[in-house]
Amino acid sequence: MVLEAVSENLFLPFLCSLSETPMGLIAENLRKAREIAHSDSRVPEQLKHYLQKALEVAVGLDPYLDAMATAKTASLEGWQLNVAGVETKVKPHKECASGYLKGQVLRMFVHMVGAKRILLIGRLKGYSILAMKEALPDDGKITSCAVEPYLGVKSQEASDYSSHVKQISVKVGPIADTLEELVAVGEHFDIIFIDAAQRSAVNYYNFVMDNHLLRMDGVICVENTLMKGQVYLENISDENVLAVRNLNNVINSDPRVEQVILPVQGGMSVIRRSLHCAVLLQKELVKDDVFWGYKRCHILDRLRLDGKVAYVTGGGQGIGRAFAHALGEAGAKVAIVDLVLAKAEVVAEELSLKGIKNMAMGADVSKPEDVQRILDAIVARWGTVHIACNNAGINMNSASEDTSLEEWDKTLNVNLRGLFLCCQAAGRIMLKQGYGKIINTASMASLIVPHPQKQLAYNVSKAGVVKLTQTLGTEWIDRGVRVNCISPGIVDTPLIHSEDLKPLVQRWLTDIPAGKLAQVTDLQAAVVYLASEASDYMTGHNLAIEGGQSLW
Ligand code: NAD
């Protein structure tokens, strides 16, 4: 049976002392040897000198690794967890600095794996749990299973702090039962952490692998797999050490995985599923692109845009800004183009903070010389253009009988002529290289006549964008250039906060099956998909993202 929260503290204060690591043990032995050498006049000075040197190197390593790991964040200093996953302020042990190193290593794993769900099997120090939790996204979760609660601070103190309780679930009880329960409810984890210093660790490892508790590209970390260096010594009779040695051997001979032991603290094995070895055992399986992934890439990797060069017009705010971030996060270099250079520069700065290569340019897309200038500048800097995101657009409102020629021309000039100029200039580069992705921003107004706002010129311009997209999409596909468009519904951006449109928001909401306006983040996956090679067979398509509004 699994007990949820019990009142005592689960995690002991850090138990980390130097002697827990192989290097710490070497240092301890060298220290003893040095004492003996110093008390014996027969020992040559040169031998004492070498002993001293070796001791300094051994003693210095672990503290140096700690010191060079990113310092603990303010929110982690002095905090531990109680059994209910509640933070508790306690004074950290003096000799526990090395907990920070492991915490930092684990946090790195969480980032690298992109982990959302973490399973801990056995005792893990509170600091490590909090360090991992810090790296989790908001909807991430840590499930910790332990046989019994640890001793520690009283529950009353603990309950004063509860900010992390939602992300950490502690299950106390027989671990085998807890694991069965997790399988029964279909749980799946990105990182599974097993403490080797528990008798049944090998059973837990086998259970995890046999029952697919680890997701496809997930990682198992096993702590304490070096057992202070004892695990590789001969003539060892200690049962605990032998159990860990057996665990290491089981993992090492398991054809389903590949692994490495890192000499971090007591030793940390990092294990991942290895499809190649597993496949050798299953000869009758069909091993085609569906199995291995097209070009040996799994589906999410096929959405990546690494090495690609993109630009986004109207990238200084709203939908364009969200597109620029999305393309950059997926790996592309991104040029931000906007009528207002200052806006483009702000977005470029945001991308720089994330490590995304970028440039900012001011341009009016309705002017051919501006369009040519931005494409020349991108090619001069990055060599080419793979992804053209023609998004800049304006919206003006008037009853059709009152629509001025000025409004008509201005709207068509930016929304349609400007978009055509961009498609043509980018298309010429793409046709030459035999590859390109053009993504135009149309609008739901291309499919329906949105009401009650009156926007003849806008509706016509966006219908034109769709026809232009279909025409180019079919004309250029056989030369490697795909042209598609996205038609957002009503998106919560500055564009709809104009004096004319603002009062209509409540009215629109009744027309949207989804019952809410779109956020710019609702559109980001679509632009990445259309920019990626995963959508290579798609062209001339108008992808509506409107919460169902065009269907009512
Ligand atoms: P927005 O007004 O918030 O941003 C548009 C950006 O384009 C601004 O930064 C502006 O400076 C820039 N821009 C305007 N004219 C330009 C020009 N001539 N050259 C270069 N840049 C120019 O608009 P948004 O809501 O982010 O809309 C972006 C696109 O999405 C537009 O094409 C719009 O028609 C379309 N769209 C918007 C909605 C919506 O509800 N917001 C719905 C459907 C379609």
Side-chain angles (χ1 to χ4, degrees), residues 28-211:
E28 260 180 36
N29 284 294
L30 283 171
R31 199 178 281 123
K32 284 178 194 151
R34 187 189 59 173
E35 275 165 24
I36 294 167
H38 276 281
S39 60
D40 189 336
S41 57
R42 291 168 302 170
V43 176
E45 281 307 310
Q46 221 182 353
L47 181 53
K48 287 186 201 161
H49 169 77
Y50 285 128
L51 270 176
Q52 179 63 28
K53 278 264 172 220
L55 181 61
E56 282 168 15
V57 172
V59 166
L61 180 67
D62 289 337
Y64 185 74
L65 293 179
D66 279 327
M68 291 298 117
T70 300
K72 57 201 174 295
T73 60
S75 66
L76 291 184
E77 193 162 9
W79 293 93
Q80 291 192 66
L81 294 175
N82 85 335
V83 68
V86 177
E87 273 184 278
T88 304
K89 185 98 179 164
V90 291
K91 235 177 158 192
H93 248 235
K94 201 168 68 212
E95 68 273 55
C96 285
S98 48
Y100 300 137
L101 172 64
K102 195 164 78 207
Q104 181 60 10
V105 171
L106 298 178
R107 189 157 45 197
M108 285 289 186
F109 282 151
V110 174
H111 280 304
M112 288 190 299
V113 174
K116 273 191 167 184
R117 306 190 74 78
I118 298 174
L119 174 65
L120 312 176
I121 303 175
R123 294 176 178 211
L124 185 63
K125 297 183 181 77
Y127 180 83
S128 296
I129 298 181
L130 286 180
M132 285 195 282
K133 195 218 71 74
E134 274 213 336
L136 280 181
D138 288 350
D139 58 348
K141 184 149 190 181
I142 297 178
T143 303
S144 174
C145 36
V147 181
E148 56 188 20
Y150 295 16
L151 298 172
V153 294
K154 296 208 172 67
S155 56
Q156 185 51 47
E157 287 170 58
S159 63
D160 293 341
Y161 307 97
S162 58
S163 63
H164 292 306
V165 73
K166 278 195 222 112
Q167 283 192 286
I168 302 172
S169 149
V170 182
K171 296 178 181 296
V172 177
I175 289 178
D177 291 356
T178 305
L179 294 180
E180 293 274 9
E181 199 181 80
L182 292 171
V183 170
V185 295
E187 280 283 12
H188 221 193
F189 296 94
D190 308 312
I191 298 183
I192 298 182
F193 195 97
I194 303 172
D195 184 1
Q198 43 188 340
R199 277 296 167 82
S200 307
V202 69
N203 297 337
Y204 303 149
Y205 166 78
N206 281 324
F207 186 90
V208 160
M209 289 302 299
D210 294 346
N211 292 280

Side-chain angles (χ1 to χ4, degrees), residues 152 225 402 410 470 499 519 531 546:
T225 44
D402 301 327
K410 211 170 164 190
Q470 291 170 344
E499 284 308 302
Q519 298 301 314
E546 28 64 298

Side-chain angles (χ1 to χ4, degrees), residues 313-321 337-340 343 363-366 390-395 414-415 441-445 458 462 486-496 520:
T313 66
Q317 68 179 39
I319 295 170
R321 171 174 170 258
V337 181
D338 202 283
L339 190 61
V340 186
K343 286 199 223 166
D364 180 346
V365 294
S366 65
N390 302 315
N391 164 79
I394 55 172
N395 177 287
V414 177
N415 293 8
T441 304
S443 164
M444 176 183 65
Y458 183 84
K462 293 301 185 181
I486 295 175
S487 275
I490 302 170
V491 190
D492 195 0
T493 71
L495 186 139
I496 64 152
V520 292

Side-chain angles (χ1 to χ4, degrees), residues 193-394:
F193 195 97
I194 303 172
D195 184 1
Q198 43 188 340
R199 277 296 167 82
S200 307
V202 69
N203 297 337
Y204 303 149
Y205 166 78
N206 281 324
F207 186 90
V208 160
M209 289 302 299
D210 294 346
N211 292 280
H212 306 297
L213 270 175
L214 184 71
R215 74 130 148 104
M216 190 175 75
D217 290 321
V219 168
I220 300 176
C221 295
V222 187
E223 191 198 15
N224 286 322
T225 44
L226 288 177
M227 288 296 268
K228 304 180 194 177
Q230 305 298 298
V231 79
Y232 49 81
L233 299 185
E234 287 184 7
N235 303 323
I236 290 289
S237 56
D238 182 319
E239 284 189 10
N240 294 326
V241 178
L242 292 175
V244 174
R245 184 185 289 173
N246 176 48
L247 169 66
N248 289 344
N249 288 337
V250 166
I251 295 169
N252 200 34
S253 56
D254 185 344
R256 296 169 296 184
V257 298
E258 54 182 85
Q259 75 288 332
V260 63
I261 299 180
L262 303 178
V264 176
Q265 294 204 302
M268 187 186 290
S269 297
V270 184
I271 303 155
R272 65 183 288 274
R273 204 184 298 275
S274 164
L275 207 48
H276 288 269
C277 299
V279 156
L280 293 177
L281 302 175
Q282 300 276 349
K283 292 197 178 63
E284 73 283 5
L285 286 179
V286 181
K287 286 160 246 159
D288 56 4
D289 280 354
V290 173
F291 180 84
W292 289 113
Y294 181 65
K295 292 186 184 169
R296 298 271 162 143
C297 276
H298 292 148
I299 187 62
L300 291 180
D301 294 328
R302 288 173 60 197
L303 295 170
R304 288 211 56 89
L305 304 175
D306 303 296
K308 295 289 194 300
V309 173
Y311 74 76
V312 182
T313 66
Q317 68 179 39
I319 295 170
R321 171 174 170 258
F323 282 176
H325 274 267
L327 296 170
E329 286 173 14
K333 303 179 182 88
V334 188
I336 320 293
V337 181
D338 202 283
L339 190 61
V340 186
L341 175 62
K343 286 199 223 166
E345 285 174 339
V346 171
V347 176
E349 259 174 58
E350 293 173 354
L351 298 190
S352 291
L353 285 176
K354 291 179 167 179
I356 297 166
K357 283 199 168 44
N358 63 78
M359 58 196 286
M361 280 178 287
D364 180 346
V365 294
S366 65
K367 296 186 176 152
E369 62 278 16
D370 278 22
V371 171
Q372 199 51 54
R373 176 172 51 79
I374 58 169
L375 280 149
D376 289 347
I378 296 167
V379 172
R381 171 84 72 90
W382 292 327
T384 189
V385 175
H386 304 106
I387 300 161
C389 207
N390 302 315
N391 164 79
I394 55 172

Side-chain angles (χ1 to χ4, degrees), residues 509-528:
L509 288 177
T510 60
D511 287 341
I512 306 174
K516 56 185 180 183
L517 300 183
Q519 298 301 314
V520 292
T521 46
D522 292 325
L523 309 173
Q524 288 180 303
V527 80
V528 171

